[in-house]
Amino acid sequence: MNTQFDHLKTRKLAQAVILSLAALTSSQSHALNYTATNATDIIGSTNFFAVGDINNNGKFWYESSEPPFSNFQWNGTARVQQAELPNAVPDVSGYLSYASHMNDLGQVVGITSVGKDLYHATRWDNTGVPTELATLGGNYWDEGRAINNQGQIAGKAWGTSNYRPVSWNSAGAITDLGTLGGTSGTAEAINEKGQIVGESFTTGDDAKHATLWSNGNIIDLGTLGGANSTAWGINNLGQIIGTSFLADDVTQHVTLWNTDGSAPVDLGFDASLNVGYYLHRIAAINNLGQIVVAGANGPVLWENGVSTGINSLLPPDQQIEVNNETWIHSYAFDINDKGVIGVFGKVGNGPQSSYILTPNAVPVPGAVWLFGSALEGLIGIKRRKQVA
């Protein structure tokens, strides 16, 4: 028996099946495969302004629309109110605190008003208990912008006269990350490897560029030809999402970078659309490389170089109304690793609200990878038996 030839045939067959499966799932996975649910029906309350991140366990945070304007967590079964720091005082808008991001453990970071025009970065645990984070000694505004599952936090803190990009460790100790030579910057996101992205000014404060902080290095991610860019999110694959100006310094597009140093990719979406709610960005990315974007004709799902209007993924009676208010554009604000998408807008005949879009199938990248891994495992088993 020619075991080498037999093994080669098996491997080629496996590769052909993987490619066929990838083609099949790519062409069939987006046929009306999402269901929209109003967040009101999930949490059992109309007392919310907008939903924030959706983590990989289906949990999210939301902001109360009624006094005392608290932040809440939906832990999958019940609402949990985030407690306030003992020194919290209402700001001019009547809010005591604001949330920014939640990790898979249910930990949330944000800011707390602790005096007139004075805010301190705050972390809440999954029961809503707050912890005030360290400062750089400044007396203005510190904010936790993102937290990973290790409890590491990225954000900004006021130094002597400018915002500085900073990180906090799980114990709450602060580190100034440094800039691209300019006086200020902001850290916006952090992945499970501790890599941080955001923006910082270049030498002389001549421009503001998307920035990567990784293993003690400060890396300029560059632009699409314009003067300025910024990074908003980074996944565990090292893919980075943000925006950049084109060479005309007028047009601004959603941009994809990679930590491998490759050139930025112009995704072609207008990054100047008004998404209204100050905590949300125009695009988000998950650990499968799927990206949701606030497109001009409604929210879009981008993956593997292909853009799909989210309305085409929904039944006819759950379509997202486009630009239904003059002050806001309908948009998708998050996507988790299970493909669950968060959308703000008007869906079907429902009210303007936050909606959770749940896929009726496993996201394509995950399904292909798992199937391919299984076949590779079988090949390995067969080869070991032949060698034996």
Side-chain angles (χ1 to χ4, degrees), residues 2-18:
N2 190 335
T3 57
Q4 183 176 2
F5 178 71
D6 187 58
H7 174 63
L8 181 60
K9 284 173 58 181
T10 304
R11 179 171 292 276
K12 286 185 175 181
L13 175 61
Q15 291 171 343
V17 172
I18 292 171

Side-chain angles (χ1 to χ4, degrees), residues 221-243:
L221 294 174
T223 75
L224 293 175
N228 300 306
S229 62
T230 186
W232 284 339
I234 180 170
N235 65 15
N236 293 336
L237 301 175
Q239 297 170 312
I240 300 163
I241 193 71
T243 66

Side-chain angles (χ1 to χ4, degrees), residues 76-119:
T77 56
R79 287 174 282 158
V80 177
Q81 183 172 356
Q82 293 180 183
E84 305 296 348
L85 291 173
N87 55 339
V89 297
D91 64 10
V92 294
S93 299
Y95 283 83
L96 293 170
S97 61
Y98 300 84
S100 294
H101 184 251
M102 172 188 276
N103 66 14
D104 290 340
L105 304 179
Q107 296 172 312
V108 176
V109 290
I111 57 173
T112 296
S113 172
V114 294
K116 181 176 173 55
D117 296 325
L118 179 59
Y119 296 85

Side-chain angles (χ1 to χ4, degrees), residues 51 82 98 131 188 226 233 247 270 279 293-294 312 356 380 382:
V51 169
Q82 293 180 183
Y98 300 84
T131 299
E188 294 282 359
D270 181 5
L279 284 175
V293 185
S312 69
I356 310 301
K382 183 169 183 177

